Amino acid sequence: MKKIFDMARAVWNRTKIEWMENLYKKDPGESHVITVIAMCVIGIALVLLLSTALKPVITSMCGAMEEKIISMFNGL
């Protein structure tokens, strides 16, 4: 009877080891894809935030440059 339990324990241990090995053999590409997607989402959020925050500054700069360009061509 003890031999049966020992054999069952050995089978259980082998199964558990194989299962854990398969768990650790995950494709490293999966985490890379997730990282790239997260970086893209963060980048898009930053672009939207900066474009919203800097819109008045850009508009005022372009307006001032537009006036200078118009005055240059008017003098010709």
Side-chain angles (χ1 to χ4, degrees), residues 29-48:
E30 291 177 15
S31 61
H32 180 68
V33 169
I34 292 170
T35 304
V36 169
I37 291 171
M39 289 172 60
C40 289
V41 169
I42 291 170
I44 291 170
L46 283 174
V47 166
L48 290 174

Side-chain angles (χ1 to χ4, degrees), residues 14 17 19 22 32-33 37 39-40 43-44 47 51 53 56-57 60 62 64 67 72 75:
R14 267 188 297 195
I17 289 171
W19 181 77
N22 288 335
H32 180 68
V33 169
I37 291 171
M39 289 172 60
C40 289
I44 291 170
V47 166
S51 66
V57 175
S60 66
C62 290
E67 291 170 8
M72 284 187 341

Side-chain angles (χ1 to χ4, degrees), residues 7 12 19 23 27 30 32 37-38 40 52 66:
M7 287 172 53
W12 170 250
W19 181 77
L23 183 67
D27 183 19
E30 291 177 15
H32 180 68
I37 291 171
C40 289
T52 304
E66 183 181 1

